[in-house]
Amino acid sequence: MPYHGAVRVGGPAEVRELAHLMITKVAVGPMDNNAYLLRCRATDEQLLVDAGADAPTLLETVGDRLATVVTTHRHRDHWSALADVVAATGARTAAGRHDAEGIAVPTDLLLDEGGTVRVGQVELTVHHLVGHTPGAVVLVYDDPQGHPHLFTGDCLFPGGPGRTTRPEDFTSLMDGLEAKVFTLPDETWVYPGHGDDTTLGAERPHLAEWRARGW
């Protein structure tokens, strides 16, 4: 079955097979959060993006080994199962430097703009975006045999950027998206923190519209 990225809480996971990386997407919790399990095909090392809720489902997805959990931002619906997942697996934790203080589980690896996170032989590039939260991060896997893959947390969804509460936060998030995210090619696949996937090509024509509406 081809990967389409449409998952629902209580339903099956979606699995995408790349040359060097396996991506498993599962929906969890009352806010329909997406969690993404990344597995290096060469080493079987695994990394989880956002232990949002429902630790039993996440642990069933992970199996018997997990190296790292990256939390994209400080909002509780993206880390409420983090303590249980870390306790069960011994995984190290990673989060944006400026959001770590807002996450109840201690952060082992503080992430900064331009830094990297590794899962086996696969490298993910970190971009720090200010606006949805002070320290939100997105992760880019630049597939050497295909297009980039972008894990955006709540910074970008189909139809626009994530929620902001002040005009200056919206402007900051849009500036960051245009400077650090929309510089990637149209084929870049976007894996958001809630809901269905999209591509940068599908969203790019609407940048001016988003600016004009202010959300």
Side-chain angles (χ1 to χ4, degrees):
M1 291 289 291
Y3 175 87
H4 52 71
V7 295
R8 298 295 178 263
V9 175
E14 275 278 301
V15 179
R16 187 167 207 167
E17 299 188 24
L18 306 177
H20 304 286
L21 186 69
M22 299 280 286
I23 302 171
T24 300
K25 178 181 181 179
V26 62
V28 293
M31 298 187 70
D32 196 16
N33 284 73
N34 295 326
Y36 299 94
L37 181 67
L38 281 53
R39 178 168 66 85
C40 171
R41 300 186 73 157
T43 66
D44 283 336
E45 185 169 293
Q46 296 189 131
L47 176 150
L48 183 67
V49 179
D50 284 345
D54 192 358
T57 293
L58 294 178
L59 291 170
E60 181 181 0
T61 303
V62 165
D64 62 357
R65 71 169 77 178
L66 183 65
T68 307
V69 184
V70 176
T71 302
T72 57
H73 63 287
R74 66 171 63 190
H75 290 159
R76 183 179 177 82
D77 61 305
H78 289 260
W79 55 260
S80 65
L82 181 58
D84 289 341
V85 169
V86 168
T89 64
R92 69 172 181 170
T93 57
R97 180 177 300 275
H98 301 289
D99 265 10
E101 65 181 7
I103 299 170
V105 180
T107 299
D108 300 317
L109 176 63
L110 296 172
L111 304 178
D112 294 302
E113 170 64 29
T116 58
V117 181
R118 297 192 67 88
V119 50
Q121 296 178 6
V122 170
E123 186 173 270
L124 307 169
T125 300
V126 176
H127 291 301
H128 171 213
L129 298 179
V130 180
H132 183 67
T133 64
V137 294
V138 302
L139 304 174
V140 181
Y141 169 52
D142 193 359
D143 186 353
Q145 294 180 238
H147 54 73
H149 296 260
L150 174 67
F151 301 87
T152 59
D154 285 2
C155 286
L156 179 64
F157 297 101
R163 178 182 60 83
T164 54
T165 56
R166 302 178 301 171
E168 56 265 38
D169 293 332
F170 171 77
T171 298
S172 175
L173 180 54
M174 284 297 301
D175 288 348
L177 286 169
E178 291 197 57
K180 301 175 183 181
V181 169
F182 280 93
T183 52
L184 296 167
D186 283 351
E187 297 77 15
T188 302
W189 194 274
V190 177
Y191 304 83
H194 305 264
D196 294 344
D197 298 356
T198 186
T199 65
L200 290 186
E203 306 306 321
R204 194 185 308 276
H206 305 288
L207 287 168
E209 171 192 335
W210 302 344
R211 288 271 191 185
R213 75 188 185 192
W215 57 272

